[in-house]
């Protein structure tokens, strides 16, 4: 806390020294990061972030409403041009705004209202207040769904991150066939969950499946696989790992390319062995990527649905019912949409908390950039 | 796969990425040892897909015995015949194609328009709108799926392809990706055309977009991947089997014809093929678009 404040003061005074080149019309409140002179200026801005430097500061744009530079080029037409510019801009964005906000803000509010109602999507519902949430707390089916989701995420997230890291380290070298290896490990990622589900349902079929056939050759007795309540959830984790690890590998590989080569070389010159280079240089520089992947895979894991719908439909005996499946079942099978909406809100709250916790964590780490860019 | 001896010493130098420089005599052993790890692993990753293709050309007799055959005795296209001739698969394929292609083109069009406005124009409310759109990216789909169903029902689109097309017309992701890409382009390129009196639209389509190929490719690839592979939303929005997408059709087909495994696997091959072919042809773009969207998303 204290440290951040001093840093901010320092950068502020530095900006003042530079003769107020920094435009202040944005009125931003976020503390600037201290300027790092040693790193080369990035040429591509970090995308998908709300950078306080919305545009190159201090430069005049055509049609700017409040040009921060000297007098505008053609002051007489400026107002008219601004109006026209405004109209053009709105014409450009209105389709996206209508569709995106219309199909997200409206449903979010609607969903909240639904969660306070008993509604079957057909007949008019009635207001029940917090009854849906109270019922959720007592519902053993929902508790099972939460437990299954947590088990699934608790296995899938660490395993996919660890597997992705190990595979990326193994694949990050120039040897023969490396392109083939990378392709083979990545290809399952592009296959839809539905197709994966159908494929593995067949492979793991207790009677006709090739998995039991292989086990038979190895002398292991026939397994129930997805029809066995004790195995189904773990097998689903394995199937998701088969397809999901590729993404972690690709992201880690990209990040490994950015580990400063000079650091590794100088460590080597100082006599560090492979393991020490890995532990002291590579892994620390991968921390931001790991945090990003953690968040990404957690969101993916908490939202798993397609694979489960195709393979087990939540069974056997509810052993693979996850939250999203529960929401879908309530809303579109049992026609208790209000109840389903309440469950969806619980899931959304969990995602929000997870995201906020990770954001806090990243804020506190000095080496992680606060805006989500990992490089 | 490749025995350590198959790699001649010195041809594949572990240079570049992270491989350290080592004396030549010590180089051979450690780097070939990676093959021992990577070859079985990647074969393991490929096996389910190999089995997918193999079982699609087996006869039902070969599949339906225990233990099932591990290798087809010959190529039997009965499954493909069944799927393409009898069932609704061609229809579903067409539906999926219509939805995915529409989504790709409209995301490119509307996403670039929106992204350009957010990157280069200042207008009342732009900041607020941008923030709102950014916020919508973190809303989980599960939260909005029930009311989206209700919205589509009000619009009379349920059970038509429109219900699948409208929500995927433009995504906040496309708008943001374009915005970020345009911000990175040097403004001088456009200013000449802009001062010469080109309209904003003209500037966008004749100056900016030709330079934005990587962004266009990224949005196209990811939009195609997500719309083609989606199952949840078609499952909710579509009831009648003439409007099914390939993913939805495949899963119901599996339920109805659970003993025609070769046909199901043939259908699965047809479902997977477009994405797989797209990936193998445009591998580099694919990977780049994933890392750029992922890393910076």
């Amino acid at each position: 806390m204290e440290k951040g404040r001093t840093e901010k003061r320092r950068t502020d005074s530095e900006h003042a020294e530079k003769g107020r080149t920094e435009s202040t019309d944005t009125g931003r409140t976020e503390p600037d990061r201290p300027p790092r002179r040693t790193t080369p200026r990035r040429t591509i801005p970090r995308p998908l972030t709300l950078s306080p430097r919305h545009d190159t500061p201090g430069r005049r744009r055509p049609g700017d409403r409040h040009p921060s530079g000297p007098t505008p080029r053609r002051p007489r037409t400026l107002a008219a041009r601004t109006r026209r510019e405004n109209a053009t801009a709105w014409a450009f964005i209105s389709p996206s705004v209508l569709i995106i906000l219309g199909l997200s803000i409206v449903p979010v509010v609607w969903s909240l209202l639904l969660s306070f109602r008993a509604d079957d999507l057909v007949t008019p519902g009635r207001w029940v207040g917090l009854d849906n949430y109270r019922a959720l707390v007592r519902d053993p089916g929902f508790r099972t769904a939460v437990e299954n989701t947590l088990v699934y995420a608790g296995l899938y997230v660490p395993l996919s991150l660890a597997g992705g890291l190990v595979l990326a380290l193994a694949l990050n070298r120039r040897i023969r066939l490396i392109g083939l290896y990378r392709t083979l490990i990545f290809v399952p990622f592009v296959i839809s969950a539905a197709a994966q589900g159908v494929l593995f349902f067949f492979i793991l079929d207790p009677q006709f499946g090739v998995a039991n056939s292989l086990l038979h050759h190895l002398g292991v007795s026939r397994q129930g696989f997805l029809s066995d309540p004790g195995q189904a959830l773990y097998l689903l984790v394995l199937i998701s790992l088969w397809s999901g690890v590729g993404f972690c590998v690709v992201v880690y590989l990209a990040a490994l390319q950015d580990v400063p080569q000079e650091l590794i070389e100088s460590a080597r010159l100082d006599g560090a062995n492979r393991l020490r280079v890995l532990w002291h240089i590579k892994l620390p520089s991968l921390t931001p990527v790991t945090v990003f992947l953690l968040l990404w895979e957690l969101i993916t894991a908490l939202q798993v649905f397609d694979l489960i719908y195709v393979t087990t439909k939540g069974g056997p005996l509810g052993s693979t019912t996850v939250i999203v499946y529960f929401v879908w079942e309530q809303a579109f099978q049992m026609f208790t949409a209000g109840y389903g909406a309440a469950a969806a809100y619980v899931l959304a709250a969990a995602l929000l908390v997870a995201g906020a916790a990770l954001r806090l964590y990243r804020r506190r780490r000095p080496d992680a950039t606060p805006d989500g860019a990992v490089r | 796969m490749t025995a350590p001896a198959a790699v001649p010493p010195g041809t594949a130098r572990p240079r570049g990425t992270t491989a350290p420089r080592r004396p030549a005599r010590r180089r051979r052993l450690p780097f070939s040892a990676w093959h021992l790890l990577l070859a079985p692993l990647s074969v393991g990753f490929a096996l389910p897909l190999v089995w997918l293709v193999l079982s699609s050309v087996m006869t039902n007799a070969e599949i339906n015995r225990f233990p099932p055959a591990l290798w087809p005795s010959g190529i039997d296209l009965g499954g493909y015949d069944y799927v393409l001739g009898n069932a609704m698969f061609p229809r579903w394929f067409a539906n999926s194609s219509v939805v995915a292609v529409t989504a790709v083109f409209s995301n490119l069009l509307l996403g670039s328009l929106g992204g350009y406005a957010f990157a280069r124009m200042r207008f009342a409310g732009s900041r607020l709108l941008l923030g709102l759109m950014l916020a919508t990216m973190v809303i989980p789909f599960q939260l909005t799926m029930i009311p989206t169903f209700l919205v589509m029902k009000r619009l009379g689109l349920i059970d038509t392809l429109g219900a699948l097309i409208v929500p995927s017309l433009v995504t906040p992701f496309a708008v943001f990706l374009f915005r970020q890409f345009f911000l990175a382009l040097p403004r001088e390129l456009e200013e000449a055309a802009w001062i010469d009196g080109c309209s904003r639209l003209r500037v966008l389509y004749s100056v900016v977009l030709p330079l934005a190929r990587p962004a266009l490719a990224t949005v196209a690839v990811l939009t195609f991947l997500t719309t083609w592979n989606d199952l949840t939303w078609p499952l909710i929005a579509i009831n009648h089997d003439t409007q099914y997408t390939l993913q939805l059709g495949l899963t119901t087909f599996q339920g109805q014809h659970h003993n025609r495994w070769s046909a199901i696997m043939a259908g699965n091959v047809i479902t997977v093929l477009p994405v797989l072919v797209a990936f193998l042809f445009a591998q580099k773009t694919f990977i780049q678009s994933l890392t750029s969207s992922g890393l910076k998303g």
Side-chain angles (χ1 to χ4, degrees):
Chain A
M1 283 291 119
E2 193 58 39
K3 197 184 165 205
R5 207 174 298 145
T6 51
E7 271 172 11
K8 185 184 189 306
R9 201 175 298 137
R10 188 161 60 85
T11 49
D12 279 351
S13 61
E14 266 182 27
H15 286 161
E17 276 166 25
K18 276 193 270 174
R20 301 177 58 81
T21 49
E22 196 85 17
S23 143
T24 49
D25 61 341
T26 55
R28 71 193 131 85
T29 48
E30 273 183 66
D32 246 346
R33 281 190 298 147
R36 274 181 294 176
R37 296 271 153 77
T38 47
T39 51
R41 179 161 281 280
R42 94 178 51 234
T43 46
I44 299 176
R46 296 165 230 130
L48 307 186
T49 55
L50 271 175
S51 163
R53 252 177 246 115
H54 183 270
D55 269 325
T56 321
R59 193 187 292 175
R60 192 153 39 84
R61 287 158 291 267
D64 200 336
R65 257 168 54 112
H66 303 289
S68 51
T71 34
R73 208 178 299 131
R74 277 182 280 171
R76 232 188 253 172
T77 56
L78 185 69
R81 274 178 61 178
T82 307
R83 260 201 306 281
R84 213 177 62 210
E85 182 80 354
N86 246 329
T88 320
W90 275 99
F92 277 23
I93 58 156
S94 48
S96 334
V97 166
L98 261 176
I99 293 166
I100 293 172
L101 296 189
L103 287 178
S104 56
I105 306 288
V106 173
V108 164
V109 178
W110 198 336
S111 201
L112 186 66
L113 294 176
L114 259 180
S115 76
F116 296 128
R117 298 171 70 85
D119 201 314
D120 61 357
L121 300 180
V122 185
T123 51
R126 65 190 165 83
W127 188 266
V128 295
L130 286 171
D131 277 3
N132 281 328
Y133 292 94
R134 286 197 201 100
L136 270 182
V137 176
R138 285 194 297 267
D139 187 343
F142 184 66
R143 178 171 307 171
T144 319
V146 169
E147 279 168 11
N148 286 338
T149 310
L150 289 180
V151 169
Y152 177 88
L155 285 171
Y156 173 75
V157 174
L159 285 176
S160 64
L161 284 179
L165 179 62
V166 169
L167 280 171
L169 287 171
L171 288 168
N172 186 33
R173 53 204 73 238
R174 298 213 169 153
I175 57 174
R176 285 190 161 201
L177 299 174
I178 199 74
L180 182 67
Y181 293 151
R182 287 181 185 178
T183 306
L184 288 180
I185 286 171
F186 183 73
V187 150
F189 180 77
V190 301
I191 293 170
S192 69
Q196 283 170 37
V198 172
L199 172 61
F200 276 94
F201 192 76
F202 173 51
I203 287 178
L204 298 172
D205 188 290
Q207 276 186 312
F208 310 117
V210 73
N212 260 337
S213 172
L214 287 174
L215 289 182
H216 179 79
H217 285 292
L218 294 171
V220 182
S221 62
R222 229 188 245 200
Q223 298 292 312
F225 294 124
L226 291 172
S227 57
D228 182 340
Q231 295 179 352
L233 192 59
Y234 303 102
L235 284 167
L236 289 173
V237 171
L238 272 183
I239 298 169
S240 332
L241 279 174
W242 174 70
S243 68
V245 151
F247 179 68
C248 292
V249 171
V250 162
V251 173
Y252 269 131
L253 269 176
L256 278 171
Q257 314 283 320
D258 286 354
V259 175
Q261 205 59 36
E262 313 89 70
L263 276 182
I264 294 172
E265 302 229 336
S266 59
R268 291 229 144 246
L269 284 176
D270 289 345
N273 59 18
R274 266 161 187 266
L275 217 62
R276 292 182 76 93
V277 167
L278 176 68
W279 188 253
H280 291 290
I281 294 172
K282 287 189 194 167
L283 288 188
S285 62
L286 290 179
T287 309
V289 187
T290 307
V291 174
F292 161 74
L293 278 177
L294 185 67
L295 185 63
W296 184 269
E297 296 294 338
L298 189 66
I299 290 172
T300 319
L302 292 181
Q303 298 191 5
V304 63
F305 172 80
D306 289 4
L307 185 65
I308 287 166
Y309 174 79
V310 177
T311 50
T312 60
K313 294 230 176 5
L317 300 172
S319 63
T320 58
T321 304
V322 291
I323 298 180
V324 180
Y325 194 84
F326 183 86
V327 172
W328 176 80
E329 207 173 30
Q330 292 301 329
F332 299 105
Q333 298 290 102
M334 319 272 203
F335 298 106
T336 46
Y339 195 51
Y345 251 93
V346 172
L347 172 69
L351 287 168
L352 206 71
V353 168
L358 273 163
R359 238 188 129 68
L360 270 178
Y361 169 83
R362 280 194 293 183
R363 280 268 160 80
R364 285 182 48 209
R365 300 279 303 192
D367 54 339
T369 48
D371 47 17
V374 263
R375 294 216 232 176
Chain B
M1 279 198 125
T2 314
V7 182
T11 47
R13 295 161 72 90
R15 173 162 311 163
T17 52
T18 59
R21 285 175 192 214
R22 310 185 115 222
R25 63 200 149 77
R26 287 180 60 200
R27 190 182 297 136
R28 197 176 358 160
L29 190 73
F31 95 81
S32 352
W34 286 104
H35 284 292
L36 297 177
L37 173 74
L38 288 172
L41 258 175
S42 43
V43 169
F45 270 85
L47 264 186
L49 290 176
V50 172
W51 181 246
L52 167 65
V53 177
L54 286 183
S55 54
S56 75
V57 297
M58 280 185 186
T59 61
N60 268 310
E62 279 175 311
I63 293 179
N64 289 349
R65 67 164 191 249
F66 186 84
L70 291 177
W71 196 262
S73 54
I75 294 178
D76 177 79
L77 293 179
Y80 289 90
D81 271 352
Y82 183 81
V83 154
L84 292 175
N86 172 15
M88 305 279 293
F89 259 84
R91 180 74 191 258
W92 299 336
F93 193 97
N95 288 343
S96 270
S97 308
V98 167
V99 172
V101 169
T102 316
V104 167
F105 279 105
S106 84
N107 267 284
L108 293 182
L109 180 77
L110 301 181
S112 61
L113 278 176
Y116 186 74
F118 278 123
R120 288 286 194 262
M121 304 180 191
R122 281 288 184 82
F123 53 96
S126 70
R127 244 156 213 290
L128 177 75
L129 275 180
L130 195 65
L132 269 177
M133 284 178 117
L134 188 70
T136 64
M137 290 174 85
V138 301
I139 299 172
F141 171 68
Q142 288 72 32
L143 192 61
T144 57
M145 70 184 183
I146 302 170
T148 308
F149 173 82
L150 294 172
V151 170
M152 290 295 147
K153 210 168 139 194
R154 293 268 160 98
L155 294 174
L157 289 174
I158 287 299
D159 225 6
T160 67
L161 288 187
L164 304 181
I165 289 172
V166 169
S168 58
L169 277 179
V170 61
T171 52
F173 166 77
V175 175
F176 280 107
L177 195 114
F178 276 118
R179 170 181 177 264
Q180 297 306 125
F181 193 86
F182 294 155
L183 281 181
L185 286 181
R187 190 182 292 274
E188 287 76 12
L189 291 170
E190 298 149 57
E191 261 166 8
W194 164 244
I195 287 163
D196 284 350
C198 266
S199 70
R200 282 291 196 180
L201 203 64
R202 185 87 190 273
V203 172
L204 175 60
Y205 283 104
S206 38
V207 181
V208 178
L209 279 190
L211 295 167
R213 285 226 183 88
L216 291 168
T218 301
V219 169
V221 157
L222 289 176
T223 309
F224 180 73
L225 188 66
T226 48
T227 46
W228 184 271
N229 281 351
D230 191 21
L231 173 68
T232 317
W233 179 238
L235 181 69
I236 293 168
I238 302 293
N239 298 313
H240 202 260
D241 63 358
T242 51
Q243 307 298 314
Y244 278 3
T245 61
L246 208 43
Q247 313 289 339
L248 187 54
L250 178 71
T251 56
T252 53
F253 186 75
Q254 179 200 19
Q256 287 161 9
H257 304 260
H258 43 86
N259 278 327
R260 297 201 70 111
W261 274 113
S262 62
I264 294 169
M265 287 301 126
N268 211 348
V269 169
I270 294 169
T271 308
V272 164
L273 213 57
V275 178
L276 208 60
V277 168
F279 171 70
L280 292 177
F281 273 106
Q283 201 167 358
K284 214 168 175 187
T285 318
F286 234 95
I287 300 265
Q288 271 168 359
S289 62
L290 282 169
T291 45
S292 64
S293 69
L295 278 176
K296 292 151 193 172

